[in-house]
């Protein structure tokens, strides 16, 4: 019996090789035949030709005269019959038959730890061995496997609990970070608003002071311009008096000198009064430089 099965497997292998496409090495699907008598799957041949510059046979490299070779109907029927037979053999093999005696596996050898048939039980290979019905042995193995599996389930449960704790911690960390981020943004928003308002207030005060001082400076400069004009007239008149005749000069000299002294004293008073220093402009800058850090720290 084993020899017959071996022969059948060998014949099946040879038949499968004869019915395989040289390109995809699988059973032919819609086989076509070339003029050189070589057959190929229709899709395999067309794909081969698309990748090559000429339509040559993939086996013998002979040039084909037909772009669409005819279907090999006889080979197609053989392939379909072979596939049908192979499916039947696969279905029959699913009945769990003994590979040595083709008998149904009903027992389990406890010594060799493998399923056997009743013929195997009586053979010399299993002499003096212990056996159990296949269903009882399967039940014993299932129970043993359940015992071995129990610690794995317990460990899995523990890992899932730890993972759950990690997930909760990660979620808490995320929420806390988002809350802190919002708080930081709110604080800096308030700080930016305060700084903008403070900047606007200080610039406004500076411009008002600048306008006020510019007005005062303008008035003082106008007064100085008037004094300069008056002094220029006095100097011009005095110089004309100096060019006068001696008698005429001496008759008015004392009075003229006294008048010049009075005007000179008056001019000195005006100069002292109109003397101006721009130190007040620095006051705001100094105030800001000393108070700005304190405002930011608050």
């Amino acid at each position: 019996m084993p020899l017959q099965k071996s022969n059948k497997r060998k014949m099946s292998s040879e038949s499968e090789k004869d019915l395989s496409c040289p390109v995809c090495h699988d059973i032919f699907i819609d086989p076509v035949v070339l003029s050189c008598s070589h057959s190929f799957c229709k899709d395999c041949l067309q794909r081969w030709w698309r990748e090559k510059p000429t339509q040559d046979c993939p086996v013998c490299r002979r040039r084909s005269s037909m772009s669409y070779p005819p279907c090999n109907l006889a080979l197609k029927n053989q392939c379909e019959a072979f596939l049908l037979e192979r499916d039947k053999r696969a279905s029959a093999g699913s009945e769990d038959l003994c590979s040595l005696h083709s008998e149904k596996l009903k027992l389990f050898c406890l010594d060799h730890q493998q399923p056997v048939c009743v013929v195997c039980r009586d053979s010399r290979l299993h002499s003096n061995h212990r056996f159990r019905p296949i269903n009882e042995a399967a039940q014993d193995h299932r129970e043993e496997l359940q015992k071995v599996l129990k610690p794995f389930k317990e460990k899995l449960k523990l890992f899932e609990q730890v993972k759950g704790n990690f997930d909760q911690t990660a979620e808490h960390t995320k929420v806390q970070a988002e809350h802190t981020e919002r708080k930081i943004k709110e604080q800096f928003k308030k700080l930016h608003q305060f700084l903008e308002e403070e900047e606007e207030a200080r610039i406004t005060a500076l411009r008002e002071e600048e306008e006020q001082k510019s007005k005062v400076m303008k008035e003082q400069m106008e007064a100085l311009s008037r004094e300069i004009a008056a002094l220029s007239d006095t100097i011009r008149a005095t110089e004309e008096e100096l060019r006068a005749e001696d008698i005429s000069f001496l008759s008015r000299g004392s009075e003229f000198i006294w008048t010049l002294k009075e005007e000179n004293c008056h001019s000195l008073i005006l100069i002292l009064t109109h003397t101006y220093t721009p130190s007040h402009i620095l006051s705001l800058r100094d105030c800001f430089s000393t108070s700005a850090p304190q405002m930011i720290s608050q």
Side-chain angles (χ1 to χ4, degrees), residues 169-212:
T169 303
E171 183 64 23
H172 176 71
T173 302
K174 180 180 179 181
V175 173
Q176 189 177 24
E178 291 176 351
H179 173 72
T180 306
E181 181 180 353
R182 287 195 300 269
K183 189 174 181 180
I184 292 174
K185 288 182 177 180
E186 290 174 359
Q187 291 177 347
F188 273 88
K189 184 177 180 180
K190 292 179 180 179
L191 180 60
H192 292 161
Q193 183 178 0
F194 170 77
L195 292 176
E196 289 175 357
E197 293 175 354
E198 188 68 18
E199 178 187 7
E200 184 178 357
R202 287 178 176 273
I203 291 176
T204 301
L206 178 63
R207 290 175 178 172
E208 290 176 355
E209 183 177 356
E210 178 189 7
E211 183 179 356
Q212 180 182 359

Side-chain angles (χ1 to χ4, degrees), residues 68-131:
Y68 299 96
C71 175
N72 192 338
L73 188 57
L75 182 58
K76 182 179 180 180
N77 293 334
Q78 290 180 3
C79 293
E80 291 176 353
F82 174 80
L83 293 174
L84 183 61
E85 182 65 24
R86 188 173 67 177
D87 292 341
K88 288 181 179 180
R89 290 197 303 269
S91 300
S94 62
E95 295 179 356
D96 296 330
L97 299 180
C98 177
S99 60
L100 298 177
H101 308 106
S102 298
E103 295 288 338
K104 191 172 182 180
L105 300 173
K106 295 182 178 181
L107 302 173
F108 185 79
C109 178
L110 299 178
D111 296 275
H112 284 176
Q113 290 292 306
Q114 64 179 15
V116 295
C117 66
V118 293
V119 179
C120 292
R121 178 192 59 185
D122 299 332
S123 64
R124 287 196 299 265
L125 182 62
H126 295 278
S127 179
N128 298 323
H129 285 186
R130 297 168 300 157
F131 298 93

Side-chain angles (χ1 to χ4, degrees), residues 154-173:
E154 294 176 353
K155 187 179 293 186
L156 176 61
K157 185 178 180 180
L158 177 62
F159 285 167
E160 289 177 347
Q161 291 178 353
V162 174
K163 183 179 180 297
N165 294 335
F166 284 166
D167 292 339
Q168 291 178 359
T169 303
E171 183 64 23
H172 176 71
T173 302

Side-chain angles (χ1 to χ4, degrees), residues 19-285:
L19 300 178
S20 297
C21 172
V23 177
C24 65
H25 303 290
D26 202 352
I27 302 300
F28 285 107
I29 298 177
D30 295 332
V32 294
V33 59
L34 299 179
S35 57
C36 59
S37 300
H38 291 122
S39 297
F40 307 92
C41 296
K42 181 179 179 181
D43 291 340
C44 293
L45 182 62
Q46 294 298 327
R47 187 164 51 252
W48 177 276
W49 282 352
R50 282 196 299 268
E51 297 175 355
K52 304 296 179 181
T54 57
Q55 295 180 347
D56 298 339
C57 173
V59 176
C60 66
R61 307 302 180 186
R62 182 177 175 180
R63 184 74 175 271
S64 175
S65 58
M66 295 179 293
S67 300
Y68 299 96
C71 175
N72 192 338
L73 188 57
L75 182 58
K76 182 179 180 180
N77 293 334
Q78 290 180 3
C79 293
E80 291 176 353
F82 174 80
L83 293 174
L84 183 61
E85 182 65 24
R86 188 173 67 177
D87 292 341
K88 288 181 179 180
R89 290 197 303 269
S91 300
S94 62
E95 295 179 356
D96 296 330
L97 299 180
C98 177
S99 60
L100 298 177
H101 308 106
S102 298
E103 295 288 338
K104 191 172 182 180
L105 300 173
K106 295 182 178 181
L107 302 173
F108 185 79
C109 178
L110 299 178
D111 296 275
H112 284 176
Q113 290 292 306
Q114 64 179 15
V116 295
C117 66
V118 293
V119 179
C120 292
R121 178 192 59 185
D122 299 332
S123 64
R124 287 196 299 265
L125 182 62
H126 295 278
S127 179
N128 298 323
H129 285 186
R130 297 168 300 157
F131 298 93
R132 289 287 187 276
I134 198 76
N135 56 344
E136 293 182 8
Q139 183 62 28
D140 292 341
H141 275 68
R142 287 191 177 94
E143 292 176 358
E144 183 179 359
L145 185 59
Q146 287 291 344
K147 293 179 182 179
V148 175
L149 189 61
K150 185 177 180 180
F152 289 92
K153 290 183 177 180
E154 294 176 353
K155 187 179 293 186
L156 176 61
K157 185 178 180 180
L158 177 62
F159 285 167
E160 289 177 347
Q161 291 178 353
V162 174
K163 183 179 180 297
N165 294 335
F166 284 166
D167 292 339
Q168 291 178 359
T169 303
E171 183 64 23
H172 176 71
T173 302
K174 180 180 179 181
V175 173
Q176 189 177 24
E178 291 176 351
H179 173 72
T180 306
E181 181 180 353
R182 287 195 300 269
K183 189 174 181 180
I184 292 174
K185 288 182 177 180
E186 290 174 359
Q187 291 177 347
F188 273 88
K189 184 177 180 180
K190 292 179 180 179
L191 180 60
H192 292 161
Q193 183 178 0
F194 170 77
L195 292 176
E196 289 175 357
E197 293 175 354
E198 188 68 18
E199 178 187 7
E200 184 178 357
R202 287 178 176 273
I203 291 176
T204 301
L206 178 63
R207 290 175 178 172
E208 290 176 355
E209 183 177 356
E210 178 189 7
E211 183 179 356
Q212 180 182 359
K213 297 301 180 181
S214 297
K215 183 179 180 181
V216 173
M217 283 289 297
K218 183 179 180 181
E219 293 175 355
Q220 292 179 351
M221 289 178 67
E222 290 176 353
L224 286 174
S225 296
R226 289 193 297 271
E227 290 298 326
I228 290 172
L231 287 174
S232 297
D233 293 341
T234 300
I235 292 171
R236 186 167 51 255
T238 302
E239 289 177 346
E240 290 178 357
E241 187 66 22
L242 289 173
R243 291 193 294 271
E245 297 293 335
D246 294 341
I247 297 174
S248 177
F249 173 73
L250 290 173
S251 62
R252 297 192 304 269
S254 298
E255 182 182 354
F256 201 81
I257 291 172
W258 176 254
T259 302
L260 286 178
K261 289 181 177 179
E262 286 184 349
E263 290 184 0
N264 185 34
C265 181
H266 178 68
S267 299
L268 288 175
I269 294 173
L270 287 175
I271 292 173
L272 293 174
T273 304
H274 294 162
T275 299
Y276 176 78
T277 175
S279 60
H280 67 284
I281 296 180
L282 301 178
S283 61
L284 281 179
R285 184 193 66 182

